[in-house]
Amino acid sequence: AKGHALDRVVALLLDAGHEDFLVDLGGELASRGRHPSGRRWKVGIENPLPGSEKLAGALHLDGSAVATSGDRANGYDVGARRYSHIIDPATGEPVESNLASVSVLMPTGTEADGWSTALMAAGAAGPVLAGRHGISALFLFRGSHRPDRVATGSFNQHLA
C-alpha cells in the first residue's frame, strides 16, 4: 500500500505543476526532475545490519521509484536466527534466509514496493528471480562484518 500511496503523492505533485521533487514515504522514494542545485537526486541505501550507522551505498534516483524490504527495522533475533516480518508463502512462517534487504528500482512505487517484498520473500533465490524478470535490484546478504552485495538488471548503473 505504501508504494501505491507514493504514486498518488507523485501524481498530485505533477498535477499541481511541480517538475522537480523527491518524495520519501516511509523509506520508499520517488523523484522527478533535479535537486534545487541542479544535480541529480541522490539517496542513501541503509545498511541492513542491526546497529550499523553507515550507509550500504548511495543511489541516483532519476525519475523513478525505489523501495526496500528488509528485516532490520521489523525483525528480531532469537539465538542465531533472524526473524523477519515477511512471511514465506510456501511455509506460512517468517522468511528464513541470510538475505537482509533488497532495494528495487522501478518506474512506479507500486511496482517497486511489490517486487521488493516478493524478492525478500524469495530469499536466496531472489537474484535469479529478479534476473529472469529484468528487475533492477540490490540484494544485501548478511556477511561477516558487512553485507555481501548482488545487483541485478541495471542497478549498478544507478549507484553513486
Side-chain angles (χ1 to χ4, degrees):
K2 221 182 332 180
H4 176 71
L6 180 65
D7 292 340
R8 299 276 300 159
V9 171
V10 168
L12 288 170
L13 289 168
L14 291 171
D15 288 347
H18 298 284
E19 297 176 354
D20 300 300
F21 57 84
L22 174 68
V23 178
D24 178 351
L25 191 61
E28 297 189 11
L29 301 108
S31 75
R32 296 296 184 273
R34 297 285 177 164
H35 183 274
S37 70
R39 66 171 170 80
R40 297 172 10 189
W41 292 105
K42 186 176 176 182
V43 299
I45 300 169
E46 184 178 62
N47 186 320
L49 301 180
S52 176
E53 297 294 322
K54 295 183 178 181
L55 292 176
L59 177 68
H60 287 293
L61 195 58
D62 295 317
S64 58
V66 64
T68 299
S69 290
D71 61 13
R72 177 180 171 154
N74 295 311
Y76 59 93
D77 296 315
V78 175
R81 181 170 174 200
R82 181 93 182 143
Y83 286 85
S84 171
H85 70 292
I86 308 257
I87 302 300
D88 181 337
T91 65
E93 299 288 328
V95 170
E96 188 170 0
S97 170
N98 67 340
L99 179 58
S101 74
V102 59
S103 298
V104 174
L105 273 171
M106 291 295 245
T108 69
T110 302
E111 293 169 294
D113 184 20
W115 273 110
S116 67
T117 301
L119 294 171
M120 185 70 189
V128 171
L129 180 62
R132 192 175 327 134
H133 290 277
I135 296 167
S136 295
L138 179 65
F139 296 82
L140 298 174
F141 291 90
R142 285 181 195 78
S144 56
H145 297 290
R146 64 175 183 79
D148 296 320
R149 304 164 163 259
V150 175
T152 61
S154 64
F155 201 94
N156 278 335
Q157 296 170 13
H158 297 274
L159 289 173

